[in-house]
């Protein structure tokens, strides 16, 4: 269960004061809380590509070289997508007899060669892009919604989102798709992988009528409450079908809460900044693992974890093997989950083509700092509202490689108090971090960047199946150019 832009502090069990997530709080009480769990990138598409491939975006190609340290993703005019030579998690599982379904946002390329069913999924209900819109279908087409290989409608035409009220029935549809799929797989006695990639907490935020106005947090809270309800419905279905002791469930998010969205964005708890940044608020995720009889109830693991680890962990649990012809960054978490063993491993924080920071044990070193440009900040785009820290939340890209900034995340989760470079602590820790980073760099083979070129002709004008429902639009002439990435 992968949320979209949900912050570390958005759940009651992670300290959200309204306590409006009873199902997720129960899931945590009966499973394991993973408060030191990360995405592989502070933005949606690269994070999801890393989850699916088990590999950092710098390896799988989900980055740009158009400018230094720029976040890039897959808007509908992007020419690239997930490369065919990447071996995705559902491909591993498909070979082992699993049936896989993605529900919600794919975001790894909107052109047909990049679609989920080309990369190991057997079923898909959802969209290739974010639910932005409505568009005029002249300069920009509305985003298509797919069932498997064919589009069956478009957002704002057939699947409505009311910007004035925030009302949309999409989350309810995504819940039904999930429970129906699980029922079918149970009846057929076939193992399954469900990737529930819902997006109600991504702007424009939405919730169904029954949840509108139900939260103390406004519309964003309404969306969180409905997603929590959906988690409860799915877990109950698994229990009712007698599958609960044979099913692992992971809940997490693709990146930190969008602090720049103000009250329409998530809560990142005590952590600095949010989405788009490589400070803790941008990449630490609200993660819960649940498997009665396997994962001890009511436990907390301080294992440093990553969404990429789900690739290795799920493949291993299913009886598969990890590809040996490439570096896979995800590690097997089974011992951490089942026996509470701590595996010593680093976390790397990339922004575009640059390694911005690295964490080892409780220590985090920043090699580069940057929030966003002064120009964007002056326009009101603030990734760190109320959290300006001199020399840390910089509005220009600052290279600290000669003397990295060091923080102890146990004592200082908000990255506010730098450890002095002249201190014994700094001199004792920094050589180990630099050694780990040097080893990482020496073995790094960068993938071909997929997020450099854009072209309006590859937008969702005439997706597969459009002719069946009279939804095809004229395709403009190709005019490729370099994409512009502001952040």
């Amino acid at each position: 269960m992968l949320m979209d832009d949900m912050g570390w502090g958005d759940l009651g069990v992670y300290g959200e004061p309204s306590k409006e997530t009873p199902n997720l709080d129960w899931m945590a009480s009966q499973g394991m809380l993973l408060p030191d769990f990360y995405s592989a990138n502070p933005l949606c598409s690269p994070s999801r590509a890393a989850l699916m491939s088990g590999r950092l975006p710098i390896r799988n190609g989900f980055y740009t070289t158009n400018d230094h340290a720029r976040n890039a993703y897959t808007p509908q005019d992007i020419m690239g997508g997930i490369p065919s030579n990447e071996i995705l998690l559902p491909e591993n599982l498909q070979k082992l007899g699993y049936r896989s379904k993605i529900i919600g946002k794919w975001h790894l390329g909107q052109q047909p060669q990049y679609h989920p069913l080309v990369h190991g999924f057997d079923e898909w209900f959802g969209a290739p892009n974010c639910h932005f819109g409505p568009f005029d279908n002249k300069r920009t087409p509305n985003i298509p919604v797919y069932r498997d290989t064919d589009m069956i409608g478009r957002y704002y035409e057939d699947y409505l989102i009311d910007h004035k009220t925030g009302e949309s029935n999409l989350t309810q549809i995504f819940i039904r798709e999930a429970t129906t799929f699980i029922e079918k797989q149970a009846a057929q006695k076939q193992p399954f992988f469900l990737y529930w990639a819902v997006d109600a907490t991504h702007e424009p935020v939405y919730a169904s009528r029954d949840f509108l106005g139900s939260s103390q947090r406004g519309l964003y809270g309404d969306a969180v409450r409905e997603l929590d309800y959906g988690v409860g419905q799915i877990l109950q279905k698994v229990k009712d079908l007698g599958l609960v002791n044979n099913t692992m469930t992971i809940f997490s998010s693709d990146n930190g809460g969008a602090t720049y969205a103000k009250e329409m964005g998530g809560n990142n708890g005590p952590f600095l900044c949010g989405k788009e940044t490589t400070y803790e608020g941008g990449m630490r995720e609200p993660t819960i693992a649940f498997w009665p009889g396997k994962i001890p109830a009511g436990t907390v693991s301080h294992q440093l974890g990553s969404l990429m680890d789900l690739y290795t962990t799920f493949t291993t649990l299913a009886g598969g093997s990890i590809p040996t012809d490439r570096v896979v960054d995800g590690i097997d978490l089974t011992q951490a989950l089942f026996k509470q063993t701590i595996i010593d491993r680093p976390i790397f924080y990339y922004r575009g083509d640059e390694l911005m920071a690295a964490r080892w044990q409780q220590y985090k070193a920043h090699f580069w700092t940057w929030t966003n440009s002064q120009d964007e900040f002056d326009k009101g785009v603030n990734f760190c509202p109320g959290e300006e820290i001199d020399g840390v939340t910089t509005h220009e890209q600052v290279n600290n490689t000669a003397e990295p900034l060091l923080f102890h995340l146990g004592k200082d989760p908000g990255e506010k108090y730098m450890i002095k470079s002249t201190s014994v602590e700094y001199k004792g820790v920094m050589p180990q971090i630099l050694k780990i980073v040097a080893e990482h760099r020496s073995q790094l083979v960068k993938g071909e960047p997929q997020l450099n070129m854009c072209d309006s002709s590859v937008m969702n004008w005439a997706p597969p199946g459009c002719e069946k429902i009279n939804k095809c639009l004229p395709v403009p002439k190709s005019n490729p150019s370099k994409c512009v990435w502001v952040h």
Side-chain angles (χ1 to χ4, degrees):
M1 300 176 176
L2 188 73
M3 303 300 104
D4 202 337
D5 290 4
M6 187 176 280
W8 188 94
D10 274 331
L11 311 185
V13 70
Y14 275 107
E16 204 290 314
S18 300
K19 305 298 181 190
E20 294 178 339
T21 53
N23 293 294
L24 284 160
D25 297 350
W26 177 87
M27 181 182 174
S29 74
Q30 300 303 307
M32 178 179 284
L33 211 58
L34 294 146
D36 293 85
F37 206 88
Y38 291 86
S39 64
N41 195 268
L43 198 61
C44 43
S45 299
S47 172
R48 291 159 192 263
L51 164 63
M52 286 288 105
S53 67
R55 286 155 50 83
L56 287 163
I58 196 73
R59 300 192 205 274
N60 64 39
F62 260 63
Y63 68 101
T64 182
T65 55
N66 288 356
D67 209 340
H68 178 249
R70 288 298 199 277
N71 288 321
Y73 69 111
T74 54
Q76 60 169 320
D77 62 347
I78 198 76
M79 294 183 69
I82 193 70
S84 60
N85 61 351
E86 290 296 322
I87 302 171
L88 303 194
L89 174 58
E91 294 179 77
N92 291 343
L93 298 177
Q94 196 173 56
K95 295 174 185 175
L96 300 166
Y98 279 70
R99 189 169 183 85
S100 299
K101 180 166 185 169
I102 170 175
I103 298 170
K105 185 167 80 172
W106 173 234
H107 226 27
L108 301 187
Q110 79 287 348
Q111 295 187 76
Q113 67 267 32
Y114 302 126
H115 283 184
L117 271 63
V118 181
H119 293 276
F121 281 98
D122 301 287
E123 300 181 30
W124 178 24
F125 180 86
N129 306 95
C130 288
H131 55 279
F132 295 137
F135 300 116
D136 60 8
N137 283 335
K138 294 178 181 178
R139 293 181 61 188
T140 305
N142 281 316
I143 302 298
V145 175
Y146 280 81
R147 175 151 325 263
D148 301 334
T149 57
D150 288 350
M151 72 168 286
I152 55 173
R154 293 185 186 269
Y155 284 145
Y156 300 97
E157 298 173 18
D158 311 281
Y159 295 88
L160 304 180
I161 304 170
D162 188 325
H163 283 198
K164 292 182 180 180
T165 65
E167 183 177 352
S168 177
N169 206 38
L170 280 169
T171 297
Q172 292 299 314
I173 297 172
F174 293 151
I175 294 168
R176 287 198 301 271
E177 287 287 327
T179 55
T180 301
F181 174 70
I182 295 168
E183 286 176 345
K184 183 182 70 173
Q185 293 307 114
Q188 295 177 351
K189 293 182 169 53
Q190 183 183 18
F192 66 88
F193 169 52
L194 171 61
Y195 178 33
W196 200 55
V198 288
D199 61 359
T201 44
H202 186 296
E203 286 190 297
V205 176
Y206 61 80
S208 66
R209 184 171 300 174
D210 287 348
F211 286 87
L212 287 177
S214 66
S215 170
Q216 296 186 52
R217 303 178 63 192
L219 179 57
Y220 183 87
D222 296 341
V224 172
R225 287 198 68 240
E226 186 166 19
L227 292 169
D228 176 77
Y229 167 81
V231 169
Q233 292 294 296
I234 293 169
L235 293 180
Q236 188 63 49
K237 180 60 66 175
V238 170
K239 181 181 179 182
D240 291 346
L241 294 169
L243 303 175
V244 69
N245 293 321
N246 197 31
T247 303
M248 176 184 277
T249 304
I250 302 288
F251 177 94
S252 195
S253 181
D254 63 344
N255 47 248
T259 48
Y260 56 83
K262 301 177 182 177
E263 69 273 12
M264 287 296 182
N267 174 3
N268 295 315
F271 302 120
L272 185 61
C273 304
K275 178 181 177 179
E276 302 265 9
T277 77
T278 50
Y279 306 102
E280 289 298 286
M283 291 178 59
R284 209 187 286 209
E285 309 306 332
T287 304
I288 302 168
F290 179 76
W291 188 354
K294 284 281 192 177
I295 296 174
T299 50
V300 177
S301 172
H302 292 288
Q303 171 68 50
L304 298 191
S306 167
L307 288 174
M308 296 182 291
D309 299 341
L310 303 185
Y311 179 93
T312 304
T313 304
F314 286 178
T315 300
T316 301
L317 284 171
S321 56
I322 306 304
T324 56
D325 63 342
R326 66 200 62 202
V327 173
V328 173
D329 297 288
I331 66 171
D332 181 2
L333 291 179
T334 51
Q335 292 304 302
L337 295 171
F338 302 157
K339 297 183 179 180
Q340 294 187 275
T341 302
I342 297 294
I343 304 160
D344 191 21
R345 63 91 67 90
I347 294 292
F348 298 114
Y349 304 70
Y350 272 89
R351 183 166 176 169
D353 59 349
E354 186 60 73
L355 178 61
M356 304 288 284
R359 178 178 175 180
W360 174 67
Q361 297 182 359
Q362 290 281 28
Y363 291 95
K364 181 178 180 181
H366 287 269
F367 306 104
W368 288 82
T369 56
W370 191 40
T371 55
N372 60 343
S373 69
Q374 189 67 49
D375 182 57
E376 285 292 299
F377 180 75
D378 290 342
K379 293 177 183 176
V381 181
N382 191 349
F383 293 162
C384 312
E387 296 180 312
E388 293 292 314
I389 300 173
D390 187 44
V392 180
T393 55
T394 57
H395 290 293
E396 60 182 26
Q397 295 183 4
V398 178
N399 186 350
N400 302 292
T401 305
E403 191 174 274
L405 312 184
L406 184 65
F407 298 89
H408 188 288
L409 295 177
K411 301 173 186 176
D412 175 25
E415 299 169 278
K416 294 178 173 65
Y417 313 113
M418 276 183 271
I419 298 171
K420 291 181 179 180
S421 60
T422 56
S423 68
V424 173
E425 185 177 15
Y426 187 101
K427 292 176 180 178
V429 170
M430 191 55 69
Q432 179 62 29
I433 296 177
L434 293 177
K435 180 182 177 182
I436 290 168
V437 169
E439 183 178 350
H440 167 70
R441 291 187 190 279
S442 70
Q443 298 177 358
L444 180 62
V445 178
K446 295 181 179 180
E448 184 71 24
Q450 296 295 307
L451 308 180
N452 280 350
M453 300 300 293
C454 289
D455 186 347
S456 61
S457 73
V458 302
M459 288 183 176
N460 296 290
W461 302 105
C466 66
E467 71 284 354
K468 299 177 183 178
I469 56 173
N470 196 30
K471 289 282 185 179
C472 300
L473 300 168
V475 180
K477 289 183 179 180
S478 178
N479 185 28
S481 62
K482 280 190 174 182
C483 309
V484 176
W485 305 113
V486 177
H487 307 303

